[in-house]
Amino acid sequence: MRKLLWVLSLVVLLFSCGDRDTVVMAKRAFPQEKKIRAVRIPAGETMNPGHMLQKGDYLIIESILSPKMLFVYSAPDLRFVCATGNKGNGPDEFPSIPFLIDSQTDSIYVFGYGLRYLKSMAVDSAAGVRLTERYALLFHEAFNSMHLLKDSVLVYQTVMPPQYSIKKYNLRQNEMIGELKMERESPQEELAWDLSRGKMAANDSVIVYVYLYKNQIDLYDLETLELKKRIVGEYKLQQPTFKDEELYYVSAFAGKKYFYALFKGERNAEGKNPSNTIEVYDYDGNPVVRYRFDMPPLFFYPDEKNNCIYATHPSCMDTLLRYDL
């Protein structure tokens, strides 16, 4: 019955997609699977680690609760370099949480200097951090999974009732230049449990959208915001609740050659998700490799140059993880 539901849902997808250029693909087996072990490296200071990004020879990690809110490490050895970004209400301080902005340029961008400001920063060889440029947004909303295209176009995911959406905003001209609205799929009044809910990642040409409550990945053209590919696996149709939710994809990363999706999967008989996996695809939607871990990551960042994955987990307040591939 379960497989029948999956097949029926796939048929509906095939016939309901209005863009004739969209390719709908059934999720295929991975040609290789690797079990990898975490190398545990002391963080240098106790922090509450979160999202991260890599720029050149440095890895920058958000720390939500510590007095210093950005931690800098050398890559790939993860040697502690410095901590910066004071929590406070001053002009160069964070009143709440900093948000690292991904980009394919050499600049480091951070949002959170006040409610509407993002700034670029530089890390020099003497372990110093300096702010270089500031952008002021004309509005404030729930900015998530931010990517900056060519230092000027901010792409981000947001939730504004009654739906989730992905927006493009030109920082230099201070105007919205595109919006992708995720179609509502469930009748519940509570938006948080809609089946369209997911996580976004982007590079300079592709938006990757992975779903929390469906075994599904969508690939959009960043320029046109048109759906180009959809990868659908077998999954259990559900009405998510706090108690019984089954999460599928919980985050993603869009690299230059591949994209990486953190798959949580279904609960076992004891009601637990014992091991996350990272699925790697090329941008034609072909599966490349699936990684399994001795210690699953929560936040991760692939270093394609040094062939490893950096990771953090809130249960390791003073430890960083590196998976050598």
Side-chain angles (χ1 to χ4, degrees), residues 7 13 17 42 44 57 80 86 114 132 142-143 152 162 185 198 202 260 262 283:
V7 173
L13 286 169
C17 187
D57 297 328
F80 176 72
N86 292 328
T132 57
F143 298 104
S152 61
E185 298 188 38
Y260 304 73
L262 182 59
Y283 286 100

Side-chain angles (χ1 to χ4, degrees), residues 142-199:
F143 298 104
N144 294 294
S145 305
M146 290 179 283
H147 178 84
L148 194 55
L149 172 65
K150 298 178 181 178
D151 296 321
S152 61
V153 176
L154 183 65
V155 184
Y156 64 94
Q157 179 183 359
T158 190
V159 52
M160 294 296 288
Q163 65 195 154
Y164 295 91
S165 63
I166 295 172
K167 296 183 179 182
K168 293 169 60 179
Y169 179 79
N170 190 307
L171 288 171
R172 301 190 185 279
Q173 299 178 3
N174 287 315
E175 64 177 355
M176 199 69 65
I177 57 174
E179 181 177 6
L180 170 63
K181 295 181 179 180
M182 315 310 292
E183 185 176 355
R184 289 291 303 270
E185 298 188 38
S186 61
Q188 294 114 316
E189 294 181 358
E190 180 53 62
L191 181 60
W193 308 124
D194 190 80
L195 295 179
S196 65
R197 184 179 176 186
K199 294 293 184 70

Side-chain angles (χ1 to χ4, degrees), residues 193-232:
W193 308 124
D194 190 80
L195 295 179
S196 65
R197 184 179 176 186
K199 294 293 184 70
M200 182 205 86
N203 60 21
D204 284 1
S205 58
V206 179
I207 293 173
V208 179
Y209 191 82
V210 298
Y211 288 80
L212 272 71
Y213 303 127
K214 297 192 294 184
N215 191 355
Q216 180 175 315
I217 301 172
D218 291 345
L219 301 180
Y220 293 88
D221 182 276
L222 188 142
E223 178 66 26
T224 64
L225 298 181
E226 293 180 354
L227 178 63
K228 292 301 183 182
K229 289 185 175 64
R230 172 167 285 170
I231 305 168
V232 184

Side-chain angles (χ1 to χ4, degrees), residues 60-90:
I60 301 96
I61 303 177
E62 300 171 3
S63 181
I64 300 173
L65 299 179
S66 56
K68 298 285 188 180
M69 307 193 76
L70 294 174
F71 285 70
V72 182
Y73 298 86
S74 59
D77 59 353
L78 297 183
R79 178 182 57 84
F80 176 72
V81 174
C82 66
T84 186
N86 292 328
K87 186 173 183 179
N89 295 310

Side-chain angles (χ1 to χ4, degrees), residues 40 48 51 100 109 117 124 129 132 139 157-159 166 181 191-192 195-196 210 265 270 287 297 310 312:
R40 304 188 184 199
N48 188 357
H51 293 282
L100 295 168
Y109 296 95
Y117 296 103
D124 62 31
V129 175
T132 57
F139 58 95
Q157 179 183 359
T158 190
V159 52
I166 295 172
K181 295 181 179 180
L191 181 60
L195 295 179
S196 65
V210 298
E270 290 74 34
Y310 308 115
T312 63

